[in-house]
Amino acid sequence: MSHILTRRRFLIGSTLGATALALPGCDMLDQNTDIANVLRSAERLTMKAQRLLQGSHALAREFAEADISPSFRVNGTSAPDSDEYAELSEGKFKDWKLKIDGLVERPQEISLAELKALPARTQITRHDCVEGWSAIGKWTGVPLASLLSLAFLRPTARYVVFHCADELEKTLDGSGRYYESIDLIDAFHPQTILAYQMNGQDLSIGHGAPLRLRVERQLGYKQAKYIMRIEVVDSFRGLWGGNGGFWEDRGYEWYAGI
Ligand SMILES: Nc1nc2c(c(=O)[nH]1)N[C@H]1C(S)=C(S)[C@@H](COP(=O)(O)O)O[C@H]1N2
Ligand SMILES: [Mo]
């Protein structure tokens, strides 16, 4: 079903694209805004339909040990290029702390050892990248819900933003820094975890050490690696391009439902 929805979304997109091309001389700016608005509402439709059809707590499929892919590609950043990250990784992330702040009552700073001492979840799931490859991996980590409960969300909290260590694109203003965001339904979903292990071993640098997001009902680019800080917000305004993620600021959909 979700494939049909996805295809439909593409069809809506391409029809509009053709219309835009067929109308040269129009005020392209206005038109682009219209197109963006229609595409955005189509995306909301996809999200609502997925949740309506599957329920907001439906689980992504989980697999068996035997299904784990023998190789799992490293994609996007393979190692954050900063002195700060180099120092942290040389020290085996003993000095790394996950910050949780924004619209929370009790901001947190949690070490990797503390995270590993919390109740963990392990899940074997399929990762689907928009570039057209998939791989099955086993992830172990702390449910995001547990951490948000420690921090106590304020009543205005709407989204959870993940700030990463890497710049995927070198820009003067820092807008090439990777970040992602999800809403509270996905944040409290039982398969949404902050993983520190992959296939039974500490996360490698390529796969996002020391901590990465797994939000299993969405595509690969939502699975933020190298998480340094979690910020709870009520909107994306004021955050880089304002669209809730590195790739979203470059035109990808914010809700990347599979
Ligand atoms: N911080 C950060 N997170 C990221 C990326 C990235 O470049 N930087 N790439 C994304 C994309 S497009 C994919 S497909 C997955 C790849 O995860 P992997 O390298 O473990 O395969 O990470 C996602 N999370
Ligand atoms: Mo991806």
Side-chain angles (χ1 to χ4, degrees):
M1 191 42 155
S2 56
H3 288 297
I4 297 170
L5 292 170
T6 308
R7 228 176 103 69
R8 203 168 142 248
R9 196 164 70 207
F10 284 138
L11 289 175
I12 293 171
S14 48
T15 314
L16 281 168
T19 317
L21 286 177
L23 293 170
C26 285
D27 184 345
M28 283 308 280
L29 200 68
D30 269 6
Q31 223 183 312
N32 283 337
T33 319
D34 284 354
I35 291 167
N37 285 340
V38 175
L39 283 176
R40 252 193 296 280
S41 63
E43 176 194 344
R44 271 199 299 274
L45 196 80
T46 313
M47 178 172 83
K48 283 194 178 140
Q50 194 196 64
R51 286 179 175 167
L52 204 69
L53 293 168
Q54 303 179 344
S56 50
H57 286 282
L59 299 178
R61 180 170 168 200
E62 294 194 15
F63 296 79
E65 296 269 342
D67 301 318
I68 294 173
S69 303
S71 75
F72 196 119
R73 190 188 303 197
V74 167
N75 208 32
T77 299
S78 54
D81 178 20
S82 74
D83 292 345
E84 194 196 347
Y85 185 84
E87 264 175 43
L88 289 171
S89 73
E90 273 159 34
K92 300 217 157 75
F93 299 102
K94 285 202 179 64
D95 295 330
W96 170 92
K97 279 198 166 150
L98 173 68
K99 291 181 194 62
I100 306 180
D101 59 17
L103 298 173
V104 296
E105 297 295 344
R106 298 187 196 169
Q108 306 282 317
E109 289 209 4
I110 312 175
S111 72
L112 196 52
E114 287 167 331
L115 278 179
K116 288 182 172 177
L118 292 170
R121 183 174 209 282
T122 294
Q123 58 205 28
I124 301 175
T125 53
R126 199 185 65 208
H127 175 107
D128 295 308
C129 173
V130 272
E131 291 166 18
W133 58 274
S134 299
I136 293 175
K138 178 164 87 168
W139 306 98
T140 299
V142 185
L144 178 57
S146 320
L147 297 181
L148 296 178
S149 312
L150 288 177
F152 288 89
L153 297 188
R154 295 212 173 133
T156 49
R158 290 290 174 272
Y159 303 102
V160 180
V161 179
F162 305 90
H163 295 282
C164 306
D166 58 315
E167 275 182 295
L168 186 52
E169 190 185 325
K170 284 276 167 211
T171 54
L172 285 177
D173 64 353
S175 63
R177 185 163 296 269
Y178 208 91
Y179 75 108
E180 257 305 339
S181 61
I182 57 178
D183 65 12
L184 294 186
I185 289 184
D186 272 324
F188 283 94
H189 185 272
Q191 286 171 319
T192 299
I193 64 173
L194 294 173
Y196 46 75
Q197 272 191 6
M198 178 192 184
N199 297 342
Q201 315 230 293
D202 280 352
L203 267 189
S204 64
I205 289 180
H207 289 298
L211 196 71
R212 67 133 7 122
L213 176 66
R214 294 302 311 172
V215 49
E216 302 292 358
R217 298 181 302 179
Q218 297 204 52
L219 289 168
Y221 61 88
K222 301 297 289 190
Q223 323 295 328
K225 308 194 278 190
Y226 318 112
I227 297 175
M228 306 297 282
R229 171 177 168 226
I230 292 177
E231 183 187 10
V232 179
V233 300
D234 59 2
S235 102
F236 307 137
R237 253 175 285 124
L239 269 176
W240 303 121
N243 300 295
F246 174 93
W247 284 113
E248 289 82 338
D249 286 339
R250 288 155 184 80
Y252 284 30
E253 291 181 353
W254 174 77
Y255 190 76
I258 295 172

